[in-house]
Amino acid sequence: MEHGRRLVLVYTVSRRKRCGAWTRKYLDQQSGCQDCPADQWSTGGNTPMCTRCPDGKGVDSGQGSSEENCVWKPCSAGQYLDQQNGCQDCPADQWSTGGNTPMCTRCPDGKGVDSG
């Protein structure tokens, strides 16, 4: 009889759902291991949900395993990318096409624009 209980316990443990830690997936109890949506990450295992990237940062769907995978999103025209603080408006009389440019360009002499 003792032998039979051990078999049941082993069977129950083996049926638990779990995602491998290397998978970058979260565990949905209904449908199993799922990729996190864009701009979210997961450490895998039996994590029941994904964690959002900080504001202004993102990661492709299913590609994030930690917050470190979240990168700054491209900036809009009139902004530059500050690696510490994200997108910042260009100062007055400077411009940028946006994207991941690290600095704004000064307008030619006699020409100017408002900040941002």
Side-chain angles (χ1 to χ4, degrees):
M1 191 72 171
E2 186 68 29
H3 180 70
R5 281 200 284 184
R6 265 191 268 160
L7 285 176
V8 171
L9 178 60
V10 169
Y11 177 72
T12 302
V13 169
S14 68
R15 288 198 50 181
R16 284 187 189 163
K17 292 181 181 179
R18 184 171 176 84
C19 302
W22 64 92
T23 64
R24 302 176 181 164
K25 296 178 185 282
Y26 74 98
L27 179 60
D28 180 292
Q29 291 297 328
Q30 302 300 317
S31 54
C33 298
Q34 301 292 313
D35 283 340
C36 289
D39 303 335
Q40 297 183 28
W41 59 272
S42 172
T43 57
N46 60 355
T47 305
M49 66 178 67
C50 301
T51 302
R52 289 192 182 280
C53 290
D55 287 343
K57 290 187 172 186
V59 65
D60 290 338
S61 175
Q63 297 302 305
S65 60
S66 73
E67 187 175 316
E68 293 166 358
N69 297 128
C70 300
V71 297
W72 290 110
K73 292 183 177 185
C75 299
S76 300
Q79 295 181 320
Y80 68 97
L81 180 59
D82 176 314
Q83 287 296 330
Q84 298 299 315
N85 301 307
C87 295
Q88 304 292 310
D89 287 341
C90 290
D93 300 326
Q94 295 187 28
W95 62 275
S96 165
T97 57
N100 292 330
T101 186
M103 59 200 299
C104 299
T105 303
R106 187 170 297 285
C107 292
D109 288 341
K111 299 196 179 212
V113 293
D114 291 333
S115 65

